[in-house]
Amino acid sequence: MSDQPADSPPESESEITASVTVTGSRAALLRDLASILGRTPEALAIEWAAGALRLPSAPVGETVPPDAWGLFDGPADLSSRTDELLREDLDR
């Protein structure tokens, strides 16, 4: 006879529920990112806790250069060369 009640599912099918609590600047960053991406902060917090989403350890642009965060794969000097790059496209 089994120790499990007859109506409970086998262990391999049982649910796992987890929660993630994010506070402070990381929570604010997740909220901002969620609003930009059109996703929920909760979904991003779970991805962050699982290691699927990297967040900078400091405010972007202060001690962490924007290109180190991995969100932008264009040239690092894009903002200083915007006019030049636009003119090249218009001259084609």
Side-chain angles (χ1 to χ4, degrees):
M1 186 153 227
S2 175
D3 291 340
Q4 291 184 343
D7 60 345
S8 69
E11 240 182 79
S12 62
E13 296 176 16
S14 63
E15 238 179 48
I16 296 175
T17 303
S19 65
V20 176
T21 302
V22 183
T23 61
S25 62
R26 287 189 195 268
L29 182 58
L30 285 171
R31 272 190 225 92
D32 291 345
L33 186 57
S35 68
I36 291 168
L37 298 176
R39 298 183 58 196
T40 65
E42 293 81 5
L44 293 179
I46 289 170
E47 285 183 26
W48 171 72
L53 176 66
R54 289 182 14 196
L55 295 178
S57 56
V60 175
E62 289 181 13
T63 58
V64 178
D67 58 333
W69 198 17
L71 290 179
F72 180 69
D73 62 354
D77 63 344
L78 179 63
S79 63
S80 62
R81 296 183 52 220
T82 301
D83 289 338
E84 172 191 343
L85 294 171
L86 286 173
R87 271 187 257 120
E88 284 178 13
D89 283 341
L90 293 174
D91 291 339
R92 289 182 191 182

